[in-house]
Amino acid sequence: MIISTGTASGKSLAYLTPAVTACLDGGTILYLTPTKALAADQLRALRELRITKVRAATFDGDTPFEERKWVRQHANYVLTNPDMLHRGLLPRHSQWSSFFRRLRMVVVDECHGYRGVFGSHVAQILRRLRRVCARYGSDPTFLLASATASEPGAFAKRLTGLEMHEVTVDASPKGSTTIALWEPPLTDLRGEGGAPVRRTATAETADLLADLVVADIRTLAFVRSRRGAETVALSARAKLADVAFSLTSSTDRHTPSPSPPGSPSETGHHTPAPGSPDETGHHTSAPGSPSETVHYGPSSPASLATSGEPVDEGGAGEGDLPEEGSLGWSIPDTSDWTGLPDKIAAYRAGYLAEDRRLLEKALRAGTIMGLATTNALELGVDVSGLDTVLIAGWPGTRASLWQQAGRAGRDGRDALAILIARDDPLDTYLVHHPDALFGRPVEAIVLDPDNPYVLGPHLCAAAAEIPLAEDDLPVFGDTTPAVLEDLVAQGLLRRRPAGWFWTRRERATDLADIRGGGGTPIQVVESSTGRLLGSVDEPSAHTAVHTGAVYLHQGETFLVEVLDLEAGVALVSSASPDYTTFARDITDISILGTQRSHALGPGTLHFGEVEVTRQVVSYLKRRLQSGEMLGDEPLDLPPRTLRTRAVWWTLPTSAVAPLAEAGIDLGGAAHAAEHASIGLLPLFATCDRWDIGGVSTELHADTGLLTVFVYDGHEGGAGFAERGYARATDWLTATREAITSCECERGCPSCIQSPKCGNGNEPLDKRGAIRILGTLLTQQ
Ligand SMILES: [Zn+2]
Ligand SMILES: [Zn+2]
């Protein structure tokens, strides 16, 4: 069964009731969630029921060793995550035999998180689980809970391999939510090729967060990256420190009187901060404080200009921050304005369990009023009582947008959610095309459990758990026999009369890197102390911890002194640069095979297998607050090859010759169209811009024509390029629209420039991209 309804519609109760009943009958329950934080929250909810016969326990990376044995032997309600199931429970199933024997129900919570490559891995882990249960004679019911998704039954079947019933009617009471689409203004700053730079979504979000917190409005800001969330919190805290300073140091100002919690003013603007707002809701500058000028768009109310320092110039540097603990927050003394900055904190998965609990508690109690977070909270941690949600940058899917927006609104009251556009073609498209968001069904969740790069490692793990027999093969899907043959040829499995065996000494589960991109992880070490800060998987290391990269860890900023790939170490030192870094790569692509093709306008659209060679060649420095470009530094890293799937289109010479005659730079036009189409594909394929890559050329060796490729950035493919092929007309039409609707003249990061472009965004031809896409989309 899958229950697919909105946030806070009572899904937990729907699975808790039968689950607790099963426990009382002597059965056991396995509860799976993508995050530890959500498991801890569920554990708290279960314990609050005070049913002594339900012996609930979490079993994850945070569980101390001495407790693990108790959990295995005595717990009848085990809360864990797919990683732990993959590495811990399944390989050691004999230690869990009494648990698996009595297993009645598997709850898969927040299952919309299982998409793309990660979802494909989880699908195979669930198949392994079903097989182990069968070994112990149990046949548990799978109960899945998901945010609203289209065709949830079909998705649940792909995820579990079982026929599914779906429940999709949501009758829970709710207030209304006002959604604002917010586009930061272009600034006077100039970026690559003299392009105008838009104010960053994080800077706008930090301003809004600070303003809302001063107005006593409980606000959650969703920021896509961990680094972004930390930047928003740091910069909003710095703003509050300025406010607190001016409030406590000046006596002839108005007494601060934050507006009561509640919804924003009727104009749709956020409630102005202490100070003297005029009737229109706009801020009037306090005496002695210069008025604000260019940093807000016409629709955006002025905020706390108390220091008069334009934040875009990096005025809110990290050096201005008050003393802080390791997490950058503490429980504030609310009677005193100096405690104001402490009302804002950053949150993400990866903090220690006790820190997370403390922070969640502070938010519930109202000692923390503003929280900047990655999607760790999106995955179900119960934070109630929020008035406003800020969403910095398109969260990737309509389903995520509605889920994040659904966090706002306490006790059925009205709420506000603001989507703040990033400097990127998809965000630009969306804030100019509300019809792409409203009144449309949410997207289907894409995963591909048959990807041989996913299936292979899980077949090895399954064989290590219990040797694979012929009867097991249908459980793992149609492609299993071919993949098994390949595993035998590689010497990973051995074929014997009784079936397939894992005979190697290594752990088979190490072959599957379910969340990462594979390879040996790189350790991130602080050079002065030898302290291990964390690890980064090898492909990501090239972009995240290359020499010279800015690396954020739990609110602290580090500079990477050196990345030593051979030693598997990145040495970092504490620093506070006022810029961020973006790695840039150059890419070559060759076609291995075409699976499908059809005509598209005068051109042809293809889908097939490709080999991609990528090399990170340099990194770009951009100023933290403004996004202004500071320079491009070369790097010396080895190339990496990737066999994956791609969608590509070609245009014949007869179609492009007239464009060239009209003075269009064909290479620049194709390149611009490629960048923008990569930006827009996530609207159709539930992927992330960073999950896909592209190559464009006026003349490709394999096609002999002008060609634009967009490929899956994961070994073996992830289903994204395939969706692009299926939705090509809509996708490329939206791409052209996004370029056309950007107000810049010759191209900017909101339309055709890409932060990861290895060619330094050269050449690009905006007008040409519109023409070339127009040609491709001409009805023949
Ligand atoms: Zn533009
Ligand atoms: Zn490029």
Side-chain angles (χ1 to χ4, degrees):
M1 168 91 67
I2 177 165
I3 304 168
S4 173
T5 53
T7 309
S9 55
K11 290 190 286 283
S12 311
L13 201 60
Y15 59 72
L16 268 175
T17 313
V20 166
T21 307
C23 283
L24 296 178
D25 286 346
T28 58
I29 304 297
L30 184 65
Y31 170 91
L32 287 174
T33 136
T35 66
K36 291 176 197 166
L38 181 56
D41 207 65
Q42 280 293 313
L43 181 65
R44 189 168 53 231
L46 269 167
R47 289 191 170 154
E48 277 166 9
L49 295 175
R50 296 177 196 283
I51 302 173
T52 48
K53 277 193 178 170
V54 176
R55 294 180 301 278
T58 51
F59 193 83
D60 57 35
D62 291 345
T63 312
F65 258 91
E66 53 280 16
E67 268 177 39
R68 294 188 176 195
K69 192 173 170 197
W70 184 92
V71 177
R72 279 197 298 267
Q73 292 179 345
H74 301 289
N76 56 6
Y77 199 119
V78 173
L79 305 104
T80 187
N81 49 53
D83 313 66
M84 204 62 178
L85 183 60
H86 166 66
R87 292 186 169 276
L89 276 73
L90 291 174
R92 280 183 275 282
H93 59 85
S94 56
Q95 295 177 354
W96 289 84
S97 59
S98 84
F99 181 84
F100 283 128
R101 193 168 290 127
R102 293 179 293 141
L103 189 59
R104 297 275 184 83
M105 189 188 281
V106 178
V107 178
V108 185
D109 204 0
E110 301 290 327
C111 64
H112 51 272
Y114 303 131
R115 60 186 176 88
V117 174
F118 178 50
S120 308
H121 278 290
V122 173
Q124 293 301 346
I125 293 168
L126 293 179
R127 283 158 178 74
R128 281 163 52 202
L129 170 66
R130 284 170 46 208
R131 184 167 163 267
V132 163
C133 287
R135 161 76 164 223
Y136 292 101
S138 62
D139 182 17
T141 300
F142 281 73
L143 211 165
L144 281 64
S146 155
T148 316
S150 66
E151 302 173 38
F155 157 68
K157 186 180 173 186
R158 269 205 129 178
L159 189 65
T160 59
L162 296 166
E163 288 302 326
M164 285 274 160
H165 298 284
E166 54 180 46
V167 175
T168 54
V169 179
D170 182 346
S172 60
K174 283 199 175 64
S176 68
T177 300
T178 300
I179 311 272
L181 304 178
W182 188 287
E183 183 175 51
L186 290 173
T187 64
D188 293 337
L189 296 168
R190 286 287 171 267
E192 229 167 27
V197 173
R198 215 170 267 290
R199 191 151 190 267
T200 62
T202 45
E204 295 269 303
T205 304
D207 283 0
L208 286 165
L209 181 61
D211 288 2
L212 288 160
V213 165
V214 169
D216 219 22
I217 291 173
R218 218 171 282 190
T219 305
L220 189 62
F222 285 107
V223 187
R224 293 209 71 195
S225 72
R226 184 189 279 192
R227 181 187 288 181
E230 283 161 354
T231 306
V232 165
L234 287 170
S235 128
R237 285 166 58 90
K239 282 170 209 310
L240 291 191
D242 287 348
V243 175
F245 176 76
S246 62
L247 286 171
T248 47
S249 64
S250 149
T251 48
D252 56 350
R253 295 256 172 104
H254 295 280
T255 309
S257 55
S259 18
S263 46
S265 63
E266 293 156 79
T267 57
H269 291 155
H270 53 283
T271 309
S276 35
D278 63 32
E279 316 149 86
T280 63
H282 286 265
H283 179 77
T284 308
S285 300
S289 128
S291 60
E292 289 211 324
T293 49
V294 296
H295 304 295
Y296 291 92
S299 63
S300 152
S303 76
L304 308 167
T306 42
S307 71
E309 196 173 30
V311 290
D312 280 9
E313 312 305 331
E318 289 161 53
D320 303 339
L321 291 182
E323 286 290 311
E324 58 191 28
S326 65
L327 285 186
W329 58 275
S330 56
I331 305 298
D333 173 8
T334 49
S335 62
D336 180 356
W337 284 103
T338 56
L340 202 52
D342 293 331
K343 290 193 151 207
I344 291 183
Y347 173 101
R348 64 170 172 81
Y351 283 154
L352 294 174
E354 54 265 41
D355 289 332
R356 289 200 301 260
R357 295 293 84 76
L358 204 57
L359 189 49
E360 285 166 15
K361 210 166 146 185
L363 189 67
R364 267 193 285 274
T367 43
I368 298 278
M369 292 294 294
L371 192 60
T373 179
T374 57
N375 65 1
L377 273 168
E378 182 196 342
L379 298 171
V381 175
D382 179 29
V383 179
S384 47
L386 294 166
D387 303 304
T388 296
V389 166
L390 304 175
I391 302 164
W394 172 240
T397 60
R398 283 183 288 272
S400 300
L401 178 76
W402 301 133
Q403 208 195 9
Q404 293 184 349
R407 291 266 156 220
R410 47 174 145 169
D411 310 324
R413 275 160 52 181
D414 292 353
L416 172 68
I418 307 177
L419 171 65
I420 300 133
R422 275 173 311 173
D423 207 1
D424 140 338
L426 179 51
D427 290 42
T428 306
Y429 175 79
L430 291 170
V431 292
H432 287 278
H433 295 81
D435 52 314
L437 295 176
F438 300 104
R440 293 220 180 180
V442 296
E443 37 292 274
I445 306 165
V446 176
L447 71 158
D448 180 12
D450 296 334
N451 175 341
Y453 292 91
V454 171
L455 178 57
H458 290 287
L459 288 175
C460 291
E465 282 148 19
I466 305 159
L468 277 167
E470 286 282 353
D471 294 352
D472 293 325
L473 306 194
V475 175
F476 295 98
D478 297 341
T479 55
T480 308
V483 175
L484 273 177
E485 211 170 286
D486 198 43
L487 293 170
V488 172
Q490 287 178 51
L492 287 165
L493 289 182
R494 259 191 219 175
R495 179 83 209 251
R496 290 179 182 154
W500 289 264
F501 288 74
W502 175 261
T503 54
R504 298 164 70 111
R505 297 172 64 95
E506 307 92 297
R507 279 181 307 195
T509 48
D510 287 348
L511 294 175
D513 180 8
I514 72 172
R515 295 199 194 233
T520 322
I522 304 291
Q523 314 275 8
V524 183
V525 175
E526 188 177 27
S527 61
S528 57
T529 60
R531 178 164 66 117
L532 177 66
L533 298 176
S535 66
V536 177
D537 65 50
E538 208 258 337
S540 311
H542 290 228
T543 51
V545 291
H546 57 77
T547 303
V550 173
Y551 178 76
L552 254 87
H553 178 72
Q554 301 201 343
E556 289 177 80
T557 313
F558 296 88
L559 263 183
V560 179
E561 292 171 355
V562 63
L563 167 63
D564 185 340
L565 286 172
E566 242 157 71
V569 172
L571 289 176
V572 303
S573 57
S574 188
S576 29
D578 66 345
Y579 58 86
T580 54
T581 51
F582 293 85
R584 321 230 275 183
D585 55 24
I586 53 170
T587 310
D588 265 335
I589 195 162
S590 59
I591 299 170
L592 301 176
T594 305
Q595 292 177 4
R596 272 167 264 167
S597 303
H598 66 72
L600 184 66
T604 315
L605 185 75
H606 305 270
F607 170 72
E609 235 182 292
V610 293
E611 185 171 86
V612 178
T613 310
R614 278 186 300 185
Q615 184 171 22
V616 173
V617 289
S618 69
Y619 65 98
L620 196 67
K621 290 176 171 180
R622 288 172 84 180
R623 201 183 290 281
L624 199 60
Q625 284 291 324
S626 63
E628 180 195 3
M629 210 188 79
L630 298 174
D632 197 4
E633 307 282 334
L635 287 169
D636 181 22
L637 285 162
R640 301 180 50 86
T641 23
L642 176 73
R643 276 182 155 226
T644 184
R645 301 210 166 119
V647 52
W648 65 96
W649 51 266
T650 55
L651 274 178
T653 319
S654 59
V656 293
L659 299 176
E661 277 160 29
I664 282 169
D665 165 10
L666 291 176
H671 189 200
E674 172 223 322
H675 281 182
S677 67
I678 291 172
L680 268 291
L681 184 57
L683 191 58
F684 302 92
T686 58
C687 60
D688 190 299
R689 178 179 188 163
W690 304 91
D691 283 337
I692 43 183
V695 174
S696 57
T697 160
E698 198 178 331
L699 185 69
H700 191 267
D702 294 342
T703 63
L705 298 169
L706 180 147
T707 312
V708 173
F709 293 87
V710 173
Y711 62 86
D712 284 346
H714 299 272
E715 202 70 54
F720 307 137
E722 194 174 2
R723 281 287 287 178
Y725 179 82
R727 299 287 307 276
T729 305
D730 294 339
W731 167 39
L732 296 170
T733 304
T735 302
R736 191 183 47 165
E737 283 282 296
I739 303 173
T740 314
S741 57
C742 185
E743 76 222 60
C744 75
E745 199 187 324
R746 297 180 49 237
C748 75
S750 296
C751 55
I752 57 171
Q753 289 192 343
S754 163
K756 22 178 237 175
C757 181
N759 281 336
N761 284 302
E762 291 282 344
L764 288 177
D765 184 337
K766 177 171 173 172
R767 196 172 58 95
I770 297 169
R771 288 283 300 274
I772 208 171
L773 287 165
T775 304
L776 189 65
L777 292 163
T778 315
Q779 297 288 342
Q780 289 293 293

